[in-house]
Amino acid sequence: MGEGGAALWRAAGLFLALVFYGLLSAPAPAEIRPAEGMIGALLVLGVGLRRPLSVVTGQTLLEGGSPPWEAPAVLALAVLLWCPLMRGVWLDWAPGDMVRDVVPLLYLFLPVLLVPLLRAAPDRAAGLLAGGLAVAGVGFALRWWKQADWGFGAVGVRAMADGGVYLLNAPSVLFAAIALPAFGGGMLTHGGWLRRVAGVAAILGGLLCLVALAGAGHRLGLGLAAMAFAALGLWWLRRAPLAVLGAGGMALLLVALFPDALLGALGQVAEKTRLAGANARWEEAEAALGQALSSPAAFLFGQGWGALLANPAVGGWRVSYTHTLVTYALAKTGVVGLCALIAYLGGLAPRVLALLRSEPALGWAVSAPLMMALGVHTSFKYLDTGLLLTLAVLAAERGKQLPVR
């Protein structure tokens, strides 16, 4: 099997892992069940052994022809893996708590492990990743609607619960909410009847995710979706004004048919903002900063993987997470780890911006959930965040002659 065939098989395994993820697992599973075991096995098969060993041993740094983001990412992964891990062992944190921190770290650095392996078939691999993320997002939304007893009529009328495992917090839901209508609209205007049927299905799937976010009053998701569609509308207006007018007409028709649901959802979002405000994010940041300033070692290296924090955002319970990546990194890895994280994400940022310029629909579908996950949400620890970063880098590099490893 050639490199292109191997890359395609890896991407197909990742697609299948995402299908299991959306239909059977949870964004942050509390335990490893058969579904999580299958997802883990597919991820291991997708990554293989050679690439992780090359990264861990530093062999990757000696290989020539790497893109500018790769070497800083490998170094950042080494710093963020070993320093906080050794600190956690030194402070005798519980092994289970350390594992719950290390696994999300590996998710976040999936581009380092996956992109070089998928470059041999970038178009198909990116397509399979995007398709898998969309299926996962729709799967999470369908399971949330099932929990809500398919109460579509309750949207805008009463507040609907997030559910026990917070299915709608998965970044893939917001990805599907933006990507499916954007690409579905393109399918309706080009191709035969089968492509048009697929376009209608894609639009319906995206609307299912959007309405779910509205029903749960997911403020950040709805705001980022609105920003993405506004930006895409302006971009399309210059290239296909008739298509934009058609989409605008459909949107106005939906508003005319369901005015109470729309206005009610907006009212609920405003009321939730009035009552909840920033959800104690500032108090949480103060607690994380206080933990980092507890000693010079904690300031430099954090309290390590496995450390717990008395978090004001969850009533002062001692938990292993914060709701923002910056405060999480500061508390667990200190200033050294935070700088490594900034170097890593700073190296990836130009790829995301390049994707926004070259493929705005995919770029906005990727960047909106990434802004949510890496900004003010716990979803920076989720599997789909790492795969969204992988998709962004892989899609941005298409057409460039880069080595395959």
Side-chain angles (χ1 to χ4, degrees):
M1 183 186 299
E3 291 178 342
L8 194 55
W9 277 108
R10 292 178 191 276
L14 295 172
F15 174 87
L16 192 57
L18 283 164
V19 172
F20 282 121
Y21 180 58
L23 296 180
L24 300 174
S25 186
E31 58 182 347
I32 299 177
R33 303 169 301 162
E36 285 73 34
M38 180 63 71
I39 293 167
L42 289 168
L43 288 174
V44 170
L45 288 174
V47 174
L49 294 176
R50 179 181 174 185
R51 178 63 184 176
L53 287 174
S54 178
V55 170
V56 169
T57 60
Q59 176 66 29
T60 302
L61 299 175
L62 303 177
E63 297 171 351
S66 299
W69 66 270
E70 197 169 307
V74 172
L75 290 171
L77 176 57
V79 170
L80 286 164
L81 176 61
W82 296 113
C83 291
L85 189 60
M86 294 171 65
R87 176 90 168 138
V89 171
W90 177 263
L91 294 174
D92 198 26
W93 301 133
D97 290 330
M98 286 193 282
V99 170
R100 278 190 285 270
D101 284 334
V102 170
V103 170
L105 174 73
L106 298 178
Y107 286 164
L108 191 62
F109 278 81
L110 277 175
V112 179
L113 302 175
L114 284 174
V115 170
L117 302 176
L118 301 177
R119 285 188 183 124
D123 292 322
R124 292 183 178 181
L128 283 167
L129 274 179
L133 286 163
V135 171
V138 173
F140 283 131
L142 283 170
R143 290 165 61 196
W144 181 85
W145 279 115
K146 183 180 179 182
Q147 289 181 0
D149 294 323
W150 309 101
F152 296 103
V155 177
V157 176
R158 59 178 174 83
M160 303 171 76
D162 289 321
V165 290
Y166 298 97
L167 296 170
L168 298 184
N169 285 356
S172 53
V173 176
L174 183 55
F175 173 84
I178 298 170
L180 290 177
F183 288 106
M187 293 179 186
L188 290 179
T189 57
H190 300 90
W193 68 269
L194 190 59
R195 185 177 173 85
R196 289 189 174 92
V197 170
V200 171
I203 291 172
L204 291 176
L207 289 177
L208 188 78
C209 296
L210 278 172
V211 177
L213 293 171
H218 202 295
R219 294 174 292 169
L220 185 58
L222 290 172
L224 288 169
M227 181 177 69
F229 285 125
L232 288 175
L234 292 174
W235 184 79
W236 279 325
L237 188 61
R238 293 182 298 171
R239 289 160 177 78
L242 292 180
V244 174
L245 290 175
M250 290 296 295
L252 290 175
L253 179 61
L254 289 174
V255 172
L257 291 174
F258 307 103
D260 294 337
L262 178 63
L263 295 176
L266 292 175
Q268 287 176 357
V269 167
E271 180 65 9
K272 186 175 181 179
T273 301
R274 185 184 72 81
L275 294 174
N279 282 333
R281 295 293 195 271
W282 294 113
E283 293 82 358
E284 180 183 70
E286 184 179 358
L289 182 61
Q291 182 160 301
L293 294 175
S294 61
S295 70
F299 177 73
L300 288 174
F301 304 109
Q303 295 288 10
W305 297 136
L308 303 180
L309 173 72
N311 195 331
V314 291
W317 287 13
R318 289 183 62 80
V319 294
S320 64
Y321 63 89
T322 68
H323 289 81
T324 61
L325 179 57
V326 171
T327 56
Y328 174 82
L330 182 63
K332 304 271 184 146
T333 70
V335 172
V336 172
L338 184 59
C339 290
L341 183 65
I342 291 171
Y344 168 58
L345 295 177
L348 297 187
R351 273 72 193 163
V352 179
L353 294 175
L355 186 62
L356 280 169
R357 291 191 295 269
S358 61
E359 300 180 59
L362 182 59
W364 277 106
V366 166
S367 59
L370 285 178
M371 283 189 277
M372 177 182 76
L374 303 177
V376 292
H377 209 272
T378 55
S379 48
F380 62 84
K381 300 184 75 174
Y382 298 171
L383 169 63
D384 33 355
T385 298
L387 290 176
L388 280 167
L389 285 169
T390 302
L391 173 59
V393 176
L394 185 65
E397 288 185 355
R398 282 187 289 192
K400 298 181 180 179
Q401 295 300 316
L402 293 167
V404 178
R405 291 187 287 277

